[in-house]
Amino acid sequence: MDFKKKNKNLLFDLDEIKYSSNGIIERSNKSIIACRNLLNTYRKSVVIDGFKSTEEEIEFFKKIKQTPFTQLIYYSEIRSFEIQFPKVGSSQQRKYVKKKLGKLNRFFLYNMDFVQYIESKQTHLDKQFFTRDYFDNVPITSSKFYFQDPDFCTPYDLLLGKLKASKRFINYLQNRLLDAKKSRYKNELELNNLTELEWTSSKTALTELVYALYHSRVINNGKSDIKEIASTLESVFHFKLGDYYKTFADIKSRKISRTKFLDDLSASLLSHIENSEE
């Protein structure tokens, strides 16, 4: 089974749902169903075909499964939040959002060791965390995960999905808090669209874009510096660039294409234009 292609198709479907739904609750319901369907498909494949190697199993539970699973948790949290969100009273709305944010902060503190393991890109415990061989040897760390499917879960793949989804949900809540405080957004669909942009390519690709925007002088008539542009894109796309000066130095030292990402962007657009004219 081509897992990567199916994940790509899911993200495309979720994007279609985004623009065809009437409100965030309807969008969440449809998105949850789409994610569950794909996870059911993955489970059948895993149970029947298994994995050829430990590395393949780790890749699946640490990365492949995370795409539909993280989306499932994210939209489930949004649906639950919006259903219970106070309909009137800005003070009550702010109180409700802050309570949710506080709960998420406690969740991250409780799991800080695992958060550090993931964010520092460590791999030495991947076999214990992301294969089913150690399913009965690692304690469950969240009350929501009392029951796990031993054929389709590892000790920490559910926790990883919860962490990834919670990071996105925090952004959603922070904008919801801004909404309740300043009445800045017109409706919940507009709010959700604002928080949905997530950079899913590489740091190098985004760095290319930052420098291209800066040197083309298309932002604020060329008056914005690289740091301002980089910080803004990091905020919009919920993505950390890290040391982009060093990344740009690596880009300059390439022997083949120094603007690979920008070249790919141009090629993709030209291909779409040509295909649409047929």
Side-chain angles (χ1 to χ4, degrees):
M1 179 179 292
D2 191 339
F3 293 123
K4 291 183 179 180
K5 182 177 181 180
K6 286 192 173 294
N7 277 349
K8 185 176 181 180
N9 289 339
L10 172 67
L11 295 176
F12 177 81
D13 290 342
L14 293 179
D15 199 46
E16 289 290 306
I17 291 171
K18 173 180 179 179
Y19 293 106
S20 63
S21 299
N22 183 24
I24 186 57
I25 294 180
E26 180 182 328
R27 176 185 177 186
S28 296
N29 286 334
K30 291 180 178 179
S31 298
I32 289 168
I33 292 172
C35 293
R36 282 177 176 170
N37 288 341
L38 182 57
L39 285 168
N40 285 332
T41 298
Y42 282 176
R43 185 190 182 282
K44 292 177 183 177
S45 175
V46 168
V47 171
I48 295 173
D49 301 325
F51 300 101
K52 296 178 181 178
S53 65
T54 299
E55 291 71 24
E56 187 177 274
E57 184 173 3
I58 292 172
E59 170 78 12
F60 176 82
F61 286 108
K62 190 176 183 180
K63 296 181 180 180
I64 300 297
K65 181 185 173 183
Q66 292 304 317
T67 297
F69 188 60
T70 298
Q71 298 280 357
L72 173 63
I73 296 176
Y74 176 64
Y75 284 109
S76 296
E77 292 289 348
I78 288 178
R79 181 182 182 278
S80 175
F81 170 84
E82 291 295 345
I83 289 175
Q84 301 176 65
F85 187 71
K87 306 305 178 187
V88 296
S90 59
S91 61
Q92 291 298 317
Q93 291 174 341
R94 290 196 299 272
K95 183 178 179 180
Y96 181 67
V97 175
K98 289 179 178 179
K99 183 179 179 180
K100 286 285 186 180
L101 287 169
K103 186 176 181 180
L104 286 168
N105 279 331
R106 292 191 295 273
F107 171 76
F108 278 96
L109 285 173
Y110 184 79
N111 295 286
M112 63 169 56
D113 290 339
F114 184 64
V115 173
Q116 176 63 24
Y117 178 85
I118 295 299
E119 292 187 345
S120 60
K121 301 187 184 302
Q122 298 179 52
T123 59
H124 63 285
L125 295 177
D126 279 4
K127 186 174 181 180
Q128 290 92 322
F129 288 169
F130 301 110
T131 66
R132 294 164 296 174
D133 294 340
Y134 295 82
F135 187 82
D136 295 324
N137 299 336
V138 180
I140 296 172
T141 58
S142 172
S143 60
K144 286 189 175 182
F145 303 149
Y146 281 144
F147 176 76
Q148 299 181 24
D149 184 346
D151 292 323
F152 193 57
C153 295
T154 72
Y156 277 81
D157 75 304
L158 300 187
L159 181 58
L160 178 59
K162 174 70 173 177
L163 290 175
K164 288 177 174 289
S166 294
K167 286 183 179 180
R168 294 183 63 195
F169 190 45
I170 285 173
N171 289 324
Y172 183 92
L173 291 175
Q174 287 174 333
N175 281 283
R176 221 32 174 125
L177 186 62
L178 184 63
D179 179 39
K181 186 176 182 180
K182 298 182 178 180
S183 299
R184 177 176 173 181
Y185 305 107
K186 294 180 180 179
N187 55 61
E188 61 186 17
L189 182 59
E190 179 183 347
L191 168 65
N192 196 50
N193 287 341
L194 181 62
T195 61
E196 271 301 287
L197 295 180
E198 181 178 358
W199 187 262
T200 54
S201 188
S202 66
K203 290 182 180 180
T204 303
L206 187 55
T207 300
E208 278 189 39
L209 182 59
V210 167
Y211 275 82
L213 291 172
Y214 171 70
H215 288 288
S216 62
R217 303 178 66 82
V218 295
I219 305 294
N220 292 336
N221 295 314
K223 296 179 181 179
S224 293
D225 59 26
I226 289 177
K227 184 176 181 180
E228 289 177 316
I229 297 173
S231 296
T232 300
L233 291 185
E234 283 182 324
S235 177
V236 170
F237 294 134
H238 309 306
F239 188 89
K240 291 297 182 182
L241 276 169
D243 188 351
Y244 46 87
Y245 295 109
K246 182 180 182 299
T247 302
F248 185 64
D250 294 336
I251 291 173
K252 291 194 296 183
S253 65
R254 287 175 179 168
K255 293 183 179 180
I256 305 176
S257 174
R258 294 180 176 178
T259 56
K260 183 179 184 303
F261 175 68
L262 298 176
D263 293 341
D264 289 343
L265 278 184
S266 178
S268 296
L269 179 57
L270 288 172
S271 176
H272 171 72
I273 292 173
E274 290 172 357
N275 291 335
S276 64
E277 291 176 345
E278 292 180 357

